[in-house]
Amino acid sequence: MTAKQEWLTIANDALTKAYVPYSHFPVGACLVTADGKTYQGINIENASYGLTNCAERTAIFKAVSEGEREFQHLVISGNTPEPISPCGACRQVMAEFCAPDMPVTLLGANGVKLETTVEKLLPYAFTEKDL
Ligand code: THU
């Protein structure tokens, strides 16, 4: 298995761990550090719906809280017919920690796949350069 295939598998495996008692809409993520370490993320819902944390942000926050700062790839997986589309909040958090040209792989059901980048997902992002 190539490293990339492994990352896709980690994101897909996360779907079975997602905590989604309200939406029944699982999302999985695999964030890869510059040196190849992987952080798996799931969406984690809450009875107070607005407190839900998306899979992408779970993966990013897990990694950042472990001291990671350099990332090379993010895979996001969903059971959607089309490749899953990350929400606006997650795009903003990606822009904070990942380079604009960092590849992002979006996965839908049956392996349908879209290769994009952080900048394509959030053009003209507000970042530290704007402060
Ligand atoms: N969700 C994610 O985990 N990532 C996204 O980018 C889109 C939405 C989750 C949040 C909620 O648990 C469920 O999908 C339905 O919105």
Side-chain angles (χ1 to χ4, degrees), residues 23 25 27 43 45 52 54-56 85-87:
S23 74
F25 187 89
V27 183
N43 48 340
E45 297 186 343
T52 292
C54 292
E56 302 88 318
S85 184
C87 83

mmCIF file of all heavy atoms in Angstrom, residues 23 25 27 43 45 52 54-56 85-87, ligand 1:
data_model
loop_
_atom_site.group_PDB
_atom_site.id
_atom_site.type_symbol
_atom_site.label_atom_id
_atom_site.label_comp_id
_atom_site.label_asym_id
_atom_site.label_seq_id
_atom_site.Cartn_x
_atom_site.Cartn_y
_atom_site.Cartn_z
ATOM 1 N N SER A 23 -27.103 13.864 13.422
ATOM 2 C CA SER A 23 -27.187 14.008 11.958
ATOM 3 C C SER A 23 -27.079 12.669 11.233
ATOM 4 O O SER A 23 -27.518 12.553 10.086
ATOM 5 C CB SER A 23 -26.068 14.918 11.454
ATOM 6 O OG SER A 23 -24.821 14.241 11.490
ATOM 7 N N PHE A 25 -24.557 11.684 9.914
ATOM 8 C CA PHE A 25 -23.760 12.087 8.742
ATOM 9 C C PHE A 25 -22.287 12.031 9.141
ATOM 10 O O PHE A 25 -21.720 13.034 9.601
ATOM 11 C CB PHE A 25 -24.189 13.505 8.330
ATOM 12 C CG PHE A 25 -23.576 14.005 7.052
ATOM 13 C CD1 PHE A 25 -24.191 13.777 5.825
ATOM 14 C CD2 PHE A 25 -22.386 14.734 7.069
ATOM 15 C CE1 PHE A 25 -23.636 14.259 4.636
ATOM 16 C CE2 PHE A 25 -21.822 15.230 5.898
ATOM 17 C CZ PHE A 25 -22.458 14.981 4.675
ATOM 18 N N VAL A 27 -18.276 11.995 9.044
ATOM 19 C CA VAL A 27 -17.192 12.566 8.243
ATOM 20 C C VAL A 27 -15.877 12.093 8.880
ATOM 21 O O VAL A 27 -15.774 12.013 10.114
ATOM 22 C CB VAL A 27 -17.252 14.110 8.219
ATOM 23 C CG1 VAL A 27 -16.143 14.677 7.320
ATOM 24 C CG2 VAL A 27 -18.618 14.596 7.731
ATOM 25 N N ASN A 43 -16.073 13.712 13.041
ATOM 26 C CA ASN A 43 -16.965 14.734 13.583
ATOM 27 C C ASN A 43 -17.535 14.243 14.914
ATOM 28 O O ASN A 43 -17.826 13.062 15.095
ATOM 29 C CB ASN A 43 -18.053 15.182 12.590
ATOM 30 C CG ASN A 43 -18.804 14.074 11.898
ATOM 31 O OD1 ASN A 43 -18.348 12.948 11.828
ATOM 32 N ND2 ASN A 43 -19.963 14.405 11.388
ATOM 33 N N GLU A 45 -20.441 15.257 17.552
ATOM 34 C CA GLU A 45 -21.636 16.098 17.741
ATOM 35 C C GLU A 45 -21.962 16.261 19.222
ATOM 36 O O GLU A 45 -21.338 15.648 20.094
ATOM 37 C CB GLU A 45 -22.800 15.482 16.950
ATOM 38 C CG GLU A 45 -22.477 15.479 15.462
ATOM 39 C CD GLU A 45 -23.605 15.021 14.566
ATOM 40 O OE1 GLU A 45 -24.567 14.395 15.055
ATOM 41 O OE2 GLU A 45 -23.513 15.300 13.351
ATOM 42 N N THR A 52 -20.929 21.117 17.921
ATOM 43 C CA THR A 52 -20.354 20.057 17.077
ATOM 44 C C THR A 52 -18.989 20.460 16.540
ATOM 45 O O THR A 52 -18.790 21.596 16.116
ATOM 46 C CB THR A 52 -21.317 19.767 15.903
ATOM 47 O OG1 THR A 52 -22.492 19.159 16.446
ATOM 48 C CG2 THR A 52 -20.691 18.855 14.867
ATOM 49 N N CYS A 54 -16.252 19.501 13.601
ATOM 50 C CA CYS A 54 -16.112 18.769 12.341
ATOM 51 C C CYS A 54 -14.867 17.877 12.354
ATOM 52 O O CYS A 54 -13.904 18.140 13.086
ATOM 53 C CB CYS A 54 -15.990 19.734 11.168
ATOM 54 S SG CYS A 54 -17.472 20.672 10.816
ATOM 55 N N ALA A 55 -14.870 16.892 11.479
ATOM 56 C CA ALA A 55 -13.761 15.933 11.387
ATOM 57 C C ALA A 55 -12.434 16.616 11.063
ATOM 58 O O ALA A 55 -11.385 16.280 11.640
ATOM 59 C CB ALA A 55 -14.079 14.893 10.321
ATOM 60 N N GLU A 56 -12.478 17.579 10.145
ATOM 61 C CA GLU A 56 -11.243 18.251 9.721
ATOM 62 C C GLU A 56 -10.617 18.990 10.899
ATOM 63 O O GLU A 56 -9.406 18.938 11.130
ATOM 64 C CB GLU A 56 -11.536 19.280 8.621
ATOM 65 C CG GLU A 56 -12.187 18.715 7.382
ATOM 66 C CD GLU A 56 -13.705 18.667 7.441
ATOM 67 O OE1 GLU A 56 -14.264 18.293 8.499
ATOM 68 O OE2 GLU A 56 -14.328 18.993 6.431
ATOM 69 N N SER A 85 -17.660 18.048 0.675
ATOM 70 C CA SER A 85 -17.216 19.436 0.609
ATOM 71 C C SER A 85 -17.048 19.988 2.018
ATOM 72 O O SER A 85 -18.010 20.012 2.790
ATOM 73 C CB SER A 85 -18.274 20.252 -0.154
ATOM 74 O OG SER A 85 -17.833 21.573 -0.318
ATOM 75 N N PRO A 86 -15.839 20.399 2.394
ATOM 76 C CA PRO A 86 -15.625 20.889 3.757
ATOM 77 C C PRO A 86 -16.345 22.208 4.036
ATOM 78 O O PRO A 86 -16.474 23.047 3.141
ATOM 79 C CB PRO A 86 -14.110 21.069 3.849
ATOM 80 C CG PRO A 86 -13.608 21.123 2.461
ATOM 81 C CD PRO A 86 -14.590 20.387 1.601
ATOM 82 N N CYS A 87 -16.775 22.398 5.272
ATOM 83 C CA CYS A 87 -17.530 23.603 5.627
ATOM 84 C C CYS A 87 -16.598 24.818 5.699
ATOM 85 O O CYS A 87 -15.368 24.697 5.734
ATOM 86 C CB CYS A 87 -18.276 23.410 6.938
ATOM 87 S SG CYS A 87 -17.272 23.685 8.408
HETATM 88 N N1 THU B 1 -19.263 18.070 9.082
HETATM 89 C C1 THU B 1 -17.923 17.798 9.140
HETATM 90 O O1 THU B 1 -17.476 17.006 10.000
HETATM 91 N N2 THU B 1 -17.107 18.402 8.246
HETATM 92 C C2 THU B 1 -17.537 19.274 7.280
HETATM 93 O O2 THU B 1 -16.728 19.930 6.647
HETATM 94 C C3 THU B 1 -18.978 19.383 7.004
HETATM 95 C C4 THU B 1 -19.858 19.008 8.140
HETATM 96 C C5 THU B 1 -20.155 17.412 10.048
HETATM 97 C C6 THU B 1 -20.749 18.321 11.073
HETATM 98 C C7 THU B 1 -21.978 17.532 11.481
HETATM 99 O O3 THU B 1 -21.607 16.577 12.462
HETATM 100 C C8 THU B 1 -22.379 16.781 10.225
HETATM 101 O O4 THU B 1 -21.242 16.823 9.368
HETATM 102 C C9 THU B 1 -23.569 17.377 9.501
HETATM 103 O O5 THU B 1 -23.402 18.730 9.287
#
